Amino acid sequence: MVTGGSVDGLISGMSTSAVISQLMQVEAAPQTSLKSKVSAQQKVVTSYQSINTKMSALLTAAKALNDPVAWKGATATSSSDAVVATTTASGSSQSGSLTFSVKKLASAHSLVYGGRVAETTDSVMSGSSFDITINGQTKTVTPADTSLKGVVDAINKTADLGVKATAIQAAPGQYTLQLTATTTGTGSTFTVSGLDGLGADAIATQGDNAVLSVGTTNPFEVSSSTNTFKGLLDGLTVTASKVQAPTDPPITVTVASDTEGIAAKVQAMVDAANATLSEIATQTKSKSGGIAGGPLAGNSSMQSLATTVLSTVSGGAGTLGSLKDVGVELTRDGQLSFNKTTFLAALNADPVKTQSYFNGTTDIDGDGVKDGFADKMVSVADKATQTNTGTLARFITSGNDAITELNDRISDWDVRLAARQQTLQRQFTAMETALGKLRNQSSWLAGQLSSLG
């Protein structure tokens, strides 16, 4: 509501500003009602957004469990700190163990020159360029100058050369050049021609592969150009960090199904579903005595959404039967519960069947949704949260549109009220002016009557 400056009457003695203010409050009653509606609508939109946030988290958790690859997860343990063993989920799982010894670590080929120069600015080349050959490919390097520093800079700034250079101070006033391959393994070996100012080069480190000796009775060797070995078992990666002494015991890496990780994903989905159900219950609760109801009190659409979430459990897993067999069931207070012990027992007894409870194999209803628990939960959450078309998205958009319309109407009222206030101010100003004239006339008449007396 627009307010203006004081026009308190000097003649009437009336607090005209207070009168105008009271009149404007009456005039602004429709606008005040619109503002209350905006506030109420904002609470409704916020409630939908809160439910949408929980439902989006449920969708994420359900998708994580609905991914078949997630069920192929495995954990790897090593009997020695000489190697680090990790696993990645893949299309198939392979549990088992592997025993081996680390015979060699991968090394990068490097050369050091026997000659010395007094300063890094001294020339180490008789020509203007030199060649480096690695992996059968020769590249020519042309430094900006022939000094040791110029050679180092040119090598290090040449892209994809496969070699890096360092100026080494062998002793005070004695500098030489070291070249090192940027990769390891036998393929990192390189040769140089044209750097004759430092004399002959010598191999400082021979480029070599890392080697594991696998097995104990009839061992065989596996090599890698790096210290990392992939695919020794499906999804297994082994990274060696030190060579074992001949007296060290062999290393055993064991790969086992990550049942704990799978159980954690089930728990995460159940927790996300319960968080969604709790949020819906909070936002739709009815007024009880002195306790206020939620902004969406009695909202049948949201209550129906909660029922749909619950039905993913009560409906079971198609022909497999009740989800209780894998530890998931409904509680009396309208929540989901998860019995990890029951789930792990089922998973260890029959991994394929247990996965089928969550990743179904049959579309019973013909709606494109398979009968697995995670399948159905993904469908429910996706339909609710899809941008623009999801149930919650449409309610949020509709609510925001209503707020925009109400705010436009409030702005229109600002214009009306400003005009009305100006009218009242003019009217009261005119009244004061008229009263002033009457007072002046009264004083003049009184003076005239007094002079006649």
Side-chain angles (χ1 to χ4, degrees):
M1 182 180 68
V2 182
T3 57
S6 173
V7 291
D8 287 350
L10 298 176
I11 306 301
S12 66
M14 180 189 302
S15 178
T16 52
S17 62
V19 172
I20 292 174
S21 178
Q22 292 172 356
L23 291 172
M24 288 305 299
Q25 289 180 14
V26 175
E27 296 281 353
Q31 187 189 53
T32 302
S33 177
L34 290 174
K35 289 180 178 179
S36 296
K37 290 180 179 180
V38 168
S39 178
Q41 191 62 47
Q42 286 173 334
K43 291 179 180 178
V44 168
V45 170
T46 299
S47 293
Y48 283 131
Q49 290 171 332
S50 296
I51 295 174
N52 190 65
T53 297
K54 300 295 184 183
M55 189 63 78
S56 295
L58 173 57
L59 177 60
T60 299
K63 283 184 175 180
L65 189 60
N66 198 43
D67 182 0
V69 175
W71 292 79
K72 307 301 180 183
T75 56
T77 55
S78 171
S79 64
S80 170
D81 61 1
V83 299
V84 175
T86 58
T87 59
T88 56
S90 60
S92 61
S93 60
Q94 182 178 353
S95 298
S97 62
L98 191 69
T99 301
F100 56 85
S101 298
V102 181
K103 293 188 65 176
K104 288 195 298 184
L105 293 181
S107 56
H109 196 71
S110 66
L111 302 177
V112 174
Y113 283 80
R116 303 289 187 269
V117 292
E119 301 289 345
T120 59
T121 54
D122 290 347
S123 177
V124 295
M125 296 173 57
S126 59
S128 60
S129 64
F130 57 91
D131 295 331
I132 294 180
T133 302
I134 184 170
N135 288 326
Q137 295 185 343
T138 300
K139 292 187 177 181
T140 300
V141 180
T142 305
D145 62 75
T146 61
S147 69
L148 175 59
K149 182 179 183 303
V151 169
V152 170
D153 288 345
I155 290 174
N156 291 337
K157 291 179 181 180
T158 301
D160 302 322
L161 184 60
V163 175
K164 291 297 181 183
T166 305
I168 298 176
Q169 183 175 338
Q174 295 184 30
Y175 295 90
T176 192
L177 176 67
Q178 176 175 300
L179 303 177
T180 304
T182 57
T183 59
T184 57
T186 56
S188 68
T189 303
F190 62 91
T191 58
V192 183
S193 61
L195 280 176
D196 48 8
L198 285 171
D201 58 61
I203 296 176
T205 304
Q206 178 65 50
D208 207 353
N209 291 340
V211 177
L212 301 182
S213 177
V214 181
T216 54
T217 304
N218 295 301
F220 62 92
E221 292 187 348
V222 177
S223 65
S224 171
S225 61
T226 69
N227 292 325
T228 297
F229 296 79
K230 295 183 178 181
L232 294 174
L233 291 178
D234 184 54
L236 174 66
T237 297
V238 171
T239 301
S241 59
K242 62 182 179 181
V243 175
Q244 290 180 279
T247 56
D248 289 341
I251 300 169
T252 297
V253 171
T254 302
V255 179
S257 177
D258 186 15
T259 55
E260 288 289 334
I262 299 172
K265 287 182 172 63
V266 178
Q267 184 69 68
M269 188 176 75
V270 168
D271 289 344
N274 285 334
T276 300
L277 293 169
S278 296
E279 188 65 26
I280 292 175
T282 297
Q283 300 299 339
T284 61
K285 68 179 180 181
S286 301
K287 180 179 179 181
S288 177
I291 301 176
L296 303 178
N299 187 298
S300 59
S301 295
M302 293 301 99
Q303 291 170 345
S304 177
L305 181 58
T307 300
T308 304
V309 172
L310 293 171
S311 69
T312 62
V313 178
S314 63
T319 57
L320 292 175
S322 173
L323 291 171
K324 185 176 181 180
D325 295 338
V326 289
V328 180
E329 58 183 318
L330 297 179
T331 64
R332 292 181 178 180
D333 57 353
Q335 292 272 291
L336 280 62
S337 68
F338 175 57
N339 188 313
K340 180 180 175 181
T341 301
T342 301
F343 173 78
L344 289 176
L347 183 62
N348 288 323
D350 193 337
V352 174
K353 180 179 179 181
T354 301
Q355 181 181 347
S356 296
Y357 276 89
F358 297 86
N359 300 159
T361 57
T362 306
D363 177 8
I364 295 178
D365 299 327
D367 57 359
V369 180
K370 293 182 179 179
D371 54 6
F373 180 30
D375 296 307
K376 292 188 289 186
M377 197 65 84
V378 167
S379 177
V380 171
D382 189 50
K383 289 178 181 177
T385 60
Q386 279 183 354
T387 304
N388 300 324
T389 60
T391 305
L392 290 165
R394 286 187 283 107
F395 280 129
I396 292 170
T397 299
S398 177
N400 284 328
D401 289 344
I403 291 172
T404 299
E405 181 183 354
L406 289 169
N407 282 330
D408 288 342
R409 293 169 62 185
I410 289 172
S411 297
D412 292 340
W413 270 99
D414 282 338
V415 176
R416 297 179 194 174
L417 292 173
R420 179 56 178 160
Q421 181 165 300
Q422 290 177 355
T423 299
L424 289 173
Q425 288 173 338
R426 287 195 299 268
Q427 289 175 341
F428 277 93
T429 298
M431 180 190 74
E432 291 295 331
T433 301
L435 288 175
K437 290 180 179 179
L438 290 174
R439 174 178 286 185
N440 290 336
Q441 291 176 355
S442 177
S443 297
W444 179 81
L445 288 173
Q448 293 297 316
L449 291 173
S450 176
S451 64
L452 293 174

